[in-house]
Amino acid sequence: DTQSAIKRGEISDPFPLKPRTVFVFVLGGVTYAEIAACDLVEKLTGSKIVLASNTIDLVIEASLIKPLEHICGVSWLRAKGIEKIFKFEQTISPPIGKVFIYFISANLLIFKQILDQIHSFTSLATVDITRDDQVKYHIIVMPNLLYSQEELLEQEGLCGRVQLYPFNWDFISLDSGVLSLEVPDVFRDVFIRHDTTSLLSISQSIRLFRLVCGQQKVVFTYGSNSEKLAQMVRRIEGHKPSNHEDKSPDFSAAFIVDRSKDFASCLLTPVTYSGLLLEIHQAKSGSLIIDSKSSRIKSGKCNLFSEDTPADSKASSASLRMNSSMDAIFSDNKYRHFSDVISLLSSQAKALGLEGQFSRDMKIHEMKAYVSEKLPKVAAAKKELFKHLTLCETIVKDLGSDFEQLQDLQDNMIYGRNRRQTISQIEDILATDPHKFNTLRLMCLCHLTSNLSTEEATQFITNFCNVFGHRHLTAFHNLAHCGLFPEISPETTSLSARSKILSNISLPKKTQNSLFADAGRLKLLPELEASSSNPRDNPTC
């Protein structure tokens, strides 16, 4: 209407404040129609209109949701102007006409999906929004902004519409004495792809940790990546000297070790309560995701002789924070042997049962004080105790039948006993009761302890793919890249006859193996004569 009126000459100068900038704040969100109207007014008058709103939507990558809860909650985000929070999905369609903030990891594929989504949003716009004051899409990349992402942004033609920001949240406290960076895909990038880009952000976080807690007097490194990390920290501190050199450090020494120097700790089955909880349920950033209808053991099983049961849409899931300050029962039992935990929880349940019997003999005034003061605490204690008893029941149900056999099998591998029998047992497990991930763990542990020959590795791969599908061939390729499985190649195949002869030789202790060499330096394995028949005296994994 304004444009047609000006053409007819009915309005000579609708905006007398032509050279000035007009700031417009719209409470509740800005629509594309309002943006188009402001763009038209700017073309007619030559003025500059800046649109602002309190409506901002946050779109988070799924793997970053749990770590972000340790830093800020939903109420804090809403206080900062965030109206809605979405989990990023490639098919998501948030409402149009708002400011979007994407929070993702340094994953180029996810970054490309976001740019495609932004393209779909901008194609619905009626005006070309390319000005700096109307940037509607902001992408925060954790922990570092990659050059490939900036190059892809330019190739997609979104420079000026999308603003990029790097962000690193440094160490997050998950439990008492447990700090974690929670950087996604570090193991895959460093040990499989041999891409050390993420070491830069880790070194910056370590430098900040040293600024806060003081400079450690002694720093030990074990592994090539750990040495690179220590060199990066020294280089950063050389360019940015600390102002707290006289501060007494909270830690006198630091030990940085490569994960590849102790793969066995991840492959062995634990016997502590907290370790077995992680065997059964999925954990994300110190929170245990408890599914009432499924577990990691059930989901990884291959039911050869039964039909797959459909997923229950009514299945509920709960979360347990594995934090000692939030759960007294977990704090008392997290590092105990599992057999001790069951007996302790049973005694606590009996004590709470006797508490109810004592309340029957109380007088009226005693009962009133008991109901108002002690009864809520008893009810909360019963609820927490019931939760942990249910978890123990799940552990016994899923692991109880094969747990002792699995412990004996792993003991034989660690101490270099009965090599041929060990390989035969793994093949029997794969044929009778296969589990997708636990069977892979046994194969990798067998290779670390006894150096699988090419024929043995090929037989393992064939049997595994026959059960779970040949789409998992790439998994063995990745395992070979990080040293957890032998690499199958024509050169190694030509040595199969020699390897077969060596595999029949029984070695009581393979000192030439890198696993045993590293375990000897770090004192990871107890001596054979030190182990007793009592399982509580044995190692915890």
Side-chain angles (χ1 to χ4, degrees), residues 92-138:
I92 192 175
S93 297
I96 302 174
K98 297 182 179 181
V99 176
F100 290 98
I101 299 177
Y102 290 89
F103 185 35
I104 62 170
S105 60
N107 188 314
L108 192 61
L109 179 60
I110 296 178
F111 186 77
K112 178 63 169 63
Q113 294 173 356
I114 289 177
L115 296 185
D116 293 340
Q117 191 177 102
I118 294 174
H119 270 304
S120 65
F121 292 158
T122 55
S123 63
L124 300 176
T126 57
V127 294
D128 185 17
I129 309 170
T130 58
R131 296 170 303 174
D132 295 336
D133 59 327
Q134 290 181 339
V135 173
K136 293 170 59 63
Y137 305 101
H138 306 266

Tab-separated table of all heavy atoms in Angstrom, residues 92-138:
chain	number	residue	atom	x	y	z
A	92	ILE	N	14.140	-32.453	10.885
A	92	ILE	CA	13.421	-31.538	11.780
A	92	ILE	C	12.946	-30.315	10.995
A	92	ILE	O	13.587	-29.879	10.044
A	92	ILE	CB	14.329	-31.109	12.953
A	92	ILE	CG1	13.524	-30.401	14.042
A	92	ILE	CG2	15.431	-30.219	12.466
A	92	ILE	CD1	14.349	-30.072	15.272
A	93	SER	N	11.822	-29.761	11.389
A	93	SER	CA	11.283	-28.549	10.755
A	93	SER	C	10.857	-27.566	11.833
A	93	SER	O	9.677	-27.448	12.166
A	93	SER	CB	10.086	-28.896	9.859
A	93	SER	OG	10.483	-29.741	8.814
A	94	PRO	N	11.805	-26.862	12.461
A	94	PRO	CA	11.422	-25.848	13.439
A	94	PRO	C	10.638	-24.729	12.772
A	94	PRO	O	10.702	-24.539	11.550
A	94	PRO	CB	12.769	-25.353	13.975
A	94	PRO	CG	13.757	-26.394	13.584
A	94	PRO	CD	13.246	-26.980	12.312
A	95	PRO	N	9.869	-23.963	13.525
A	95	PRO	CA	9.096	-22.874	12.939
A	95	PRO	C	9.981	-21.819	12.289
A	95	PRO	O	11.086	-21.543	12.747
A	95	PRO	CB	8.328	-22.292	14.131
A	95	PRO	CG	8.989	-22.821	15.342
A	95	PRO	CD	9.633	-24.106	14.971
A	96	ILE	N	9.484	-21.257	11.216
A	96	ILE	CA	10.264	-20.280	10.448
A	96	ILE	C	10.063	-18.884	11.037
A	96	ILE	O	9.024	-18.578	11.603
A	96	ILE	CB	9.826	-20.306	8.976
A	96	ILE	CG1	10.027	-21.722	8.424
A	96	ILE	CG2	10.574	-19.296	8.149
A	96	ILE	CD1	9.503	-21.886	7.026
A	97	GLY	N	11.060	-18.049	10.853
A	97	GLY	CA	10.926	-16.663	11.260
A	97	GLY	C	11.540	-16.364	12.593
A	97	GLY	O	11.154	-15.421	13.255
A	98	LYS	N	12.508	-17.200	13.038
A	98	LYS	CA	13.152	-16.985	14.316
A	98	LYS	C	14.660	-17.027	14.140
A	98	LYS	O	15.179	-17.374	13.081
A	98	LYS	CB	12.711	-18.050	15.319
A	98	LYS	CG	11.221	-18.020	15.636
A	98	LYS	CD	10.874	-19.068	16.660
A	98	LYS	CE	9.388	-19.018	17.007
A	98	LYS	NZ	9.002	-20.013	18.011
A	99	VAL	N	15.366	-16.683	15.216
A	99	VAL	CA	16.810	-16.789	15.243
A	99	VAL	C	17.172	-18.181	15.758
A	99	VAL	O	16.707	-18.597	16.815
A	99	VAL	CB	17.425	-15.695	16.135
A	99	VAL	CG1	18.930	-15.869	16.231
A	99	VAL	CG2	17.083	-14.315	15.595
A	100	PHE	N	17.979	-18.901	15.000
A	100	PHE	CA	18.349	-20.254	15.358
A	100	PHE	C	19.813	-20.293	15.780
A	100	PHE	O	20.675	-19.726	15.118
A	100	PHE	CB	18.140	-21.211	14.177
A	100	PHE	CG	16.700	-21.464	13.852
A	100	PHE	CD1	16.077	-20.777	12.828
A	100	PHE	CD2	15.964	-22.382	14.576
A	100	PHE	CE1	14.761	-21.006	12.528
A	100	PHE	CE2	14.638	-22.621	14.285
A	100	PHE	CZ	14.023	-21.938	13.253
A	101	ILE	N	20.079	-20.999	16.871
A	101	ILE	CA	21.436	-21.259	17.325
A	101	ILE	C	21.635	-22.773	17.303
A	101	ILE	O	20.944	-23.508	18.006
A	101	ILE	CB	21.690	-20.710	18.734
A	101	ILE	CG1	21.506	-19.190	18.753
A	101	ILE	CG2	23.086	-21.076	19.213
A	101	ILE	CD1	21.678	-18.580	20.127
A	102	TYR	N	22.578	-23.230	16.489
A	102	TYR	CA	22.908	-24.647	16.410
A	102	TYR	C	24.147	-24.913	17.258
A	102	TYR	O	25.126	-24.173	17.179
A	102	TYR	CB	23.169	-25.070	14.962
A	102	TYR	CG	21.947	-25.078	14.078
A	102	TYR	CD1	21.560	-23.938	13.376
A	102	TYR	CD2	21.187	-26.224	13.919
A	102	TYR	CE1	20.450	-23.935	12.552
A	102	TYR	CE2	20.065	-26.242	13.096
A	102	TYR	CZ	19.705	-25.099	12.418
A	102	TYR	OH	18.607	-25.103	11.608
A	103	PHE	N	24.085	-25.970	18.046
A	103	PHE	CA	25.216	-26.361	18.883
A	103	PHE	C	25.590	-27.793	18.512
A	103	PHE	O	24.862	-28.735	18.811
A	103	PHE	CB	24.847	-26.250	20.360
A	103	PHE	CG	25.994	-26.516	21.292
A	103	PHE	CD1	27.280	-26.134	20.970
A	103	PHE	CD2	25.787	-27.155	22.507
A	103	PHE	CE1	28.338	-26.379	21.819
A	103	PHE	CE2	26.831	-27.399	23.374
A	103	PHE	CZ	28.115	-27.012	23.027
A	104	ILE	N	26.734	-27.962	17.827
A	104	ILE	CA	27.114	-29.261	17.292
A	104	ILE	C	28.583	-29.522	17.582
A	104	ILE	O	29.327	-28.627	17.993
A	104	ILE	CB	26.867	-29.335	15.767
A	104	ILE	CG1	27.727	-28.295	15.046
A	104	ILE	CG2	25.396	-29.140	15.443
A	104	ILE	CD1	27.734	-28.442	13.544
A	105	SER	N	28.989	-30.768	17.361
A	105	SER	CA	30.397	-31.124	17.444
A	105	SER	C	31.068	-30.860	16.096
A	105	SER	O	30.411	-30.545	15.104
A	105	SER	CB	30.547	-32.602	17.838
A	105	SER	OG	29.925	-33.435	16.880
A	106	ALA	N	32.386	-31.020	16.067
A	106	ALA	CA	33.145	-30.741	14.843
A	106	ALA	C	33.020	-31.921	13.878
A	106	ALA	O	34.007	-32.585	13.537
A	106	ALA	CB	34.609	-30.466	15.179
A	107	ASN	N	31.810	-32.161	13.438
A	107	ASN	CA	31.515	-33.257	12.506
A	107	ASN	C	31.072	-32.633	11.187
A	107	ASN	O	30.056	-31.934	11.122
A	107	ASN	CB	30.422	-34.153	13.084
A	107	ASN	CG	30.203	-35.410	12.257
A	107	ASN	OD1	30.115	-35.363	11.039
A	107	ASN	ND2	30.120	-36.545	12.944
A	108	LEU	N	31.825	-32.898	10.136
A	108	LEU	CA	31.557	-32.253	8.848
A	108	LEU	C	30.235	-32.723	8.252
A	108	LEU	O	29.535	-31.949	7.591
A	108	LEU	CB	32.705	-32.537	7.878
A	108	LEU	CG	32.731	-31.706	6.588
A	108	LEU	CD1	32.857	-30.224	6.919
A	108	LEU	CD2	33.878	-32.143	5.695
A	109	LEU	N	29.857	-33.971	8.491
A	109	LEU	CA	28.600	-34.480	7.945
A	109	LEU	C	27.404	-33.781	8.578
A	109	LEU	O	26.461	-33.362	7.889
A	109	LEU	CB	28.516	-35.989	8.148
A	109	LEU	CG	27.233	-36.673	7.652
A	109	LEU	CD1	27.057	-36.463	6.157
A	109	LEU	CD2	27.257	-38.157	7.993
A	110	ILE	N	27.425	-33.641	9.911
A	110	ILE	CA	26.336	-32.940	10.595
A	110	ILE	C	26.303	-31.478	10.179
A	110	ILE	O	25.230	-30.879	10.004
A	110	ILE	CB	26.494	-33.086	12.121
A	110	ILE	CG1	26.355	-34.560	12.522
A	110	ILE	CG2	25.483	-32.239	12.868
A	110	ILE	CD1	26.544	-34.808	13.996
A	111	PHE	N	27.476	-30.879	10.001
A	111	PHE	CA	27.541	-29.487	9.559
A	111	PHE	C	26.899	-29.324	8.183
A	111	PHE	O	26.169	-28.362	7.938
A	111	PHE	CB	29.003	-29.036	9.539
A	111	PHE	CG	29.194	-27.584	9.251
A	111	PHE	CD1	28.972	-26.629	10.217
A	111	PHE	CD2	29.607	-27.160	7.989
A	111	PHE	CE1	29.151	-25.281	9.949
A	111	PHE	CE2	29.789	-25.830	7.713
A	111	PHE	CZ	29.556	-24.887	8.697
A	112	LYS	N	27.146	-30.278	7.277
A	112	LYS	CA	26.533	-30.224	5.947
A	112	LYS	C	25.011	-30.380	6.036
A	112	LYS	O	24.254	-29.699	5.322
A	112	LYS	CB	27.117	-31.345	5.075
A	112	LYS	CG	26.508	-31.423	3.664
A	112	LYS	CD	26.795	-30.165	2.862
A	112	LYS	CE	26.446	-30.341	1.387
A	112	LYS	NZ	25.005	-30.592	1.177
A	113	GLN	N	24.522	-31.239	6.922
A	113	GLN	CA	23.078	-31.405	7.100
A	113	GLN	C	22.437	-30.123	7.615
A	113	GLN	O	21.318	-29.767	7.212
A	113	GLN	CB	22.811	-32.564	8.055
A	113	GLN	CG	23.223	-33.923	7.505
A	113	GLN	CD	23.097	-35.023	8.536
A	113	GLN	OE1	22.765	-34.773	9.699
A	113	GLN	NE2	23.355	-36.255	8.120
A	114	ILE	N	23.134	-29.399	8.482
A	114	ILE	CA	22.604	-28.135	8.988
A	114	ILE	C	22.533	-27.095	7.867
A	114	ILE	O	21.545	-26.360	7.744
A	114	ILE	CB	23.470	-27.634	10.161
A	114	ILE	CG1	23.267	-28.518	11.386
A	114	ILE	CG2	23.140	-26.189	10.510
A	114	ILE	CD1	24.117	-28.149	12.557
A	115	LEU	N	23.566	-27.038	7.050
A	115	LEU	CA	23.548	-26.082	5.943
A	115	LEU	C	22.418	-26.405	4.960
A	115	LEU	O	21.765	-25.491	4.425
A	115	LEU	CB	24.893	-26.085	5.225
A	115	LEU	CG	26.110	-25.620	6.043
A	115	LEU	CD1	27.341	-25.560	5.163
A	115	LEU	CD2	25.862	-24.278	6.699
A	116	ASP	N	22.165	-27.689	4.716
A	116	ASP	CA	21.036	-28.068	3.854
A	116	ASP	C	19.715	-27.644	4.484
A	116	ASP	O	18.796	-27.202	3.786
A	116	ASP	CB	21.041	-29.579	3.616
A	116	ASP	CG	22.237	-30.031	2.793
A	116	ASP	OD1	22.827	-29.171	2.113
A	116	ASP	OD2	22.577	-31.231	2.846
A	117	GLN	N	19.620	-27.762	5.784
A	117	GLN	CA	18.401	-27.341	6.478
A	117	GLN	C	18.218	-25.835	6.399
A	117	GLN	O	17.097	-25.343	6.188
A	117	GLN	CB	18.464	-27.802	7.938
A	117	GLN	CG	17.163	-27.650	8.688
A	117	GLN	CD	17.296	-28.199	10.096
A	117	GLN	OE1	17.442	-27.451	11.054
A	117	GLN	NE2	17.242	-29.514	10.218
A	118	ILE	N	19.293	-25.088	6.527
A	118	ILE	CA	19.213	-23.631	6.410
A	118	ILE	C	18.817	-23.236	4.993
A	118	ILE	O	18.053	-22.282	4.792
A	118	ILE	CB	20.553	-22.992	6.832
A	118	ILE	CG1	20.797	-23.218	8.325
A	118	ILE	CG2	20.564	-21.500	6.524
A	118	ILE	CD1	22.148	-22.750	8.805
A	119	HIS	N	19.312	-23.951	4.019
A	119	HIS	CA	18.912	-23.696	2.636
A	119	HIS	C	17.399	-23.871	2.471
A	119	HIS	O	16.745	-23.080	1.778
A	119	HIS	CB	19.647	-24.646	1.686
A	119	HIS	CG	20.946	-24.118	1.188
A	119	HIS	ND1	21.067	-22.909	0.532
A	119	HIS	CD2	22.209	-24.639	1.269
A	119	HIS	CE1	22.337	-22.713	0.205
A	119	HIS	NE2	23.053	-23.749	0.645
A	120	SER	N	16.859	-24.896	3.114
A	120	SER	CA	15.411	-25.113	2.999
A	120	SER	C	14.628	-24.003	3.686
A	120	SER	O	13.534	-23.642	3.244
A	120	SER	CB	15.048	-26.472	3.612
A	120	SER	OG	15.300	-26.504	4.998
A	121	PHE	N	15.170	-23.440	4.770
A	121	PHE	CA	14.490	-22.327	5.448
A	121	PHE	C	14.523	-21.069	4.595
A	121	PHE	O	13.514	-20.380	4.435
A	121	PHE	CB	15.150	-22.049	6.806
A	121	PHE	CG	14.946	-23.147	7.815
A	121	PHE	CD1	15.815	-23.291	8.884
A	121	PHE	CD2	13.897	-24.028	7.695
A	121	PHE	CE1	15.643	-24.292	9.809
A	121	PHE	CE2	13.711	-25.036	8.623
A	121	PHE	CZ	14.587	-25.169	9.685
A	122	THR	N	15.704	-20.751	4.065
A	122	THR	CA	15.845	-19.504	3.309
A	122	THR	C	15.098	-19.552	1.986
A	122	THR	O	14.749	-18.506	1.429
A	122	THR	CB	17.332	-19.216	3.049
A	122	THR	OG1	17.917	-20.363	2.391
A	122	THR	CG2	18.068	-18.951	4.345
A	123	SER	N	14.854	-20.745	1.447
A	123	SER	CA	14.103	-20.837	0.196
A	123	SER	C	12.649	-20.442	0.374
A	123	SER	O	11.974	-20.069	-0.592
A	123	SER	CB	14.184	-22.265	-0.350
A	123	SER	OG	13.571	-23.171	0.545
A	124	LEU	N	12.160	-20.480	1.632
A	124	LEU	CA	10.781	-20.085	1.906
A	124	LEU	C	10.645	-18.596	2.169
A	124	LEU	O	9.536	-18.086	2.315
A	124	LEU	CB	10.248	-20.865	3.116
A	124	LEU	CG	10.231	-22.397	2.965
A	124	LEU	CD1	9.777	-23.043	4.266
A	124	LEU	CD2	9.340	-22.819	1.820
A	125	ALA	N	11.791	-17.913	2.254
A	125	ALA	CA	11.737	-16.477	2.552
A	125	ALA	C	11.367	-15.696	1.295
A	125	ALA	O	11.639	-16.096	0.174
A	125	ALA	CB	13.079	-15.995	3.103
A	126	THR	N	10.748	-14.568	1.501
A	126	THR	CA	10.324	-13.716	0.385
A	126	THR	C	11.315	-12.612	0.095
A	126	THR	O	11.163	-11.888	-0.882
A	126	THR	CB	8.962	-13.079	0.702
A	126	THR	OG1	9.070	-12.339	1.921
A	126	THR	CG2	7.903	-14.153	0.857
A	127	VAL	N	12.326	-12.484	0.953
A	127	VAL	CA	13.332	-11.448	0.736
A	127	VAL	C	14.707	-12.084	0.872
A	127	VAL	O	14.874	-13.160	1.419
A	127	VAL	CB	13.181	-10.296	1.762
A	127	VAL	CG1	11.878	-9.579	1.547
A	127	VAL	CG2	13.293	-10.815	3.185
A	128	ASP	N	15.678	-11.394	0.371
A	128	ASP	CA	17.055	-11.865	0.457
A	128	ASP	C	17.694	-11.283	1.703
A	128	ASP	O	17.945	-10.082	1.789
A	128	ASP	CB	17.826	-11.414	-0.782
A	128	ASP	CG	19.229	-11.992	-0.802
A	128	ASP	OD1	19.455	-12.971	-0.048
A	128	ASP	OD2	20.067	-11.470	-1.546
A	129	ILE	N	17.937	-12.147	2.680
A	129	ILE	CA	18.461	-11.686	3.970
A	129	ILE	C	19.959	-11.924	3.976
A	129	ILE	O	20.430	-13.010	4.250
A	129	ILE	CB	17.788	-12.448	5.120
A	129	ILE	CG1	16.276	-12.404	4.954
A	129	ILE	CG2	18.171	-11.884	6.450
A	129	ILE	CD1	15.570	-13.343	5.911
A	130	THR	N	20.698	-10.934	3.636
A	130	THR	CA	22.152	-11.096	3.555
A	130	THR	C	22.896	-10.064	4.375
A	130	THR	O	24.109	-10.027	4.343
A	130	THR	CB	22.601	-10.995	2.087
A	130	THR	OG1	22.189	-9.727	1.559
A	130	THR	CG2	21.986	-12.114	1.258
A	131	ARG	N	22.194	-9.240	5.087
A	131	ARG	CA	22.870	-8.169	5.808
A	131	ARG	C	23.346	-8.650	7.169
A	131	ARG	O	22.777	-9.566	7.754
A	131	ARG	CB	21.918	-6.971	5.981
A	131	ARG	CG	21.516	-6.348	4.662
A	131	ARG	CD	20.394	-5.353	4.873
A	131	ARG	NE	19.262	-5.998	5.511
A	131	ARG	CZ	18.197	-5.337	5.922
A	131	ARG	NH1	18.136	-4.033	5.789
A	131	ARG	NH2	17.188	-5.983	6.467
A	132	ASP	N	24.407	-8.016	7.667
A	132	ASP	CA	25.000	-8.445	8.922
A	132	ASP	C	24.050	-8.289	10.090
A	132	ASP	O	24.128	-9.033	11.059
A	132	ASP	CB	26.290	-7.648	9.179
A	132	ASP	CG	27.346	-7.963	8.138
A	132	ASP	OD1	27.271	-9.057	7.544
A	132	ASP	OD2	28.226	-7.113	7.948
A	133	ASP	N	23.185	-7.283	10.042
A	133	ASP	CA	22.298	-7.044	11.169
A	133	ASP	C	21.097	-7.976	11.156
A	133	ASP	O	20.267	-7.900	12.044
A	133	ASP	CB	21.822	-5.586	11.181
A	133	ASP	CG	21.073	-5.228	9.899
A	133	ASP	OD1	21.436	-5.785	8.844
A	133	ASP	OD2	20.134	-4.414	9.975
A	134	GLN	N	20.969	-8.809	10.182
A	134	GLN	CA	19.843	-9.721	10.131
A	134	GLN	C	20.311	-11.181	10.007
A	134	GLN	O	19.654	-12.005	9.396
A	134	GLN	CB	18.922	-9.377	8.960
A	134	GLN	CG	18.175	-8.072	9.157
A	134	GLN	CD	17.258	-7.761	7.994
A	134	GLN	OE1	17.432	-8.271	6.901
A	134	GLN	NE2	16.273	-6.911	8.245
A	135	VAL	N	21.464	-11.482	10.550
A	135	VAL	CA	21.937	-12.867	10.588
A	135	VAL	C	21.032	-13.657	11.530
A	135	VAL	O	20.895	-13.323	12.699
A	135	VAL	CB	23.407	-12.930	11.056
A	135	VAL	CG1	23.831	-14.373	11.254
A	135	VAL	CG2	24.299	-12.251	10.040
A	136	LYS	N	20.407	-14.688	10.995
A	136	LYS	CA	19.434	-15.441	11.762
A	136	LYS	C	19.929	-16.822	12.174
A	136	LYS	O	19.300	-17.485	12.972
A	136	LYS	CB	18.150	-15.608	10.936
A	136	LYS	CG	17.392	-14.315	10.685
A	136	LYS	CD	16.301	-14.533	9.685
A	136	LYS	CE	15.313	-15.587	10.143
A	136	LYS	NZ	14.601	-15.188	11.379
A	137	TYR	N	21.044	-17.265	11.632
A	137	TYR	CA	21.521	-18.619	11.881
A	137	TYR	C	22.939	-18.555	12.440
A	137	TYR	O	23.847	-18.003	11.813
A	137	TYR	CB	21.490	-19.448	10.587
A	137	TYR	CG	20.132	-19.466	9.948
A	137	TYR	CD1	19.850	-18.655	8.863
A	137	TYR	CD2	19.115	-20.269	10.442
A	137	TYR	CE1	18.603	-18.650	8.264
A	137	TYR	CE2	17.862	-20.277	9.865
A	137	TYR	CZ	17.610	-19.462	8.783
A	137	TYR	OH	16.373	-19.462	8.209
A	138	HIS	N	23.093	-19.109	13.619
A	138	HIS	CA	24.378	-19.122	14.312
A	138	HIS	C	24.724	-20.577	14.639
A	138	HIS	O	23.904	-21.298	15.204
A	138	HIS	CB	24.324	-18.296	15.594
A	138	HIS	CG	23.837	-16.887	15.380
A	138	HIS	ND1	24.685	-15.831	15.170
A	138	HIS	CD2	22.582	-16.378	15.320
A	138	HIS	CE1	23.984	-14.717	15.009
A	138	HIS	NE2	22.694	-15.028	15.097
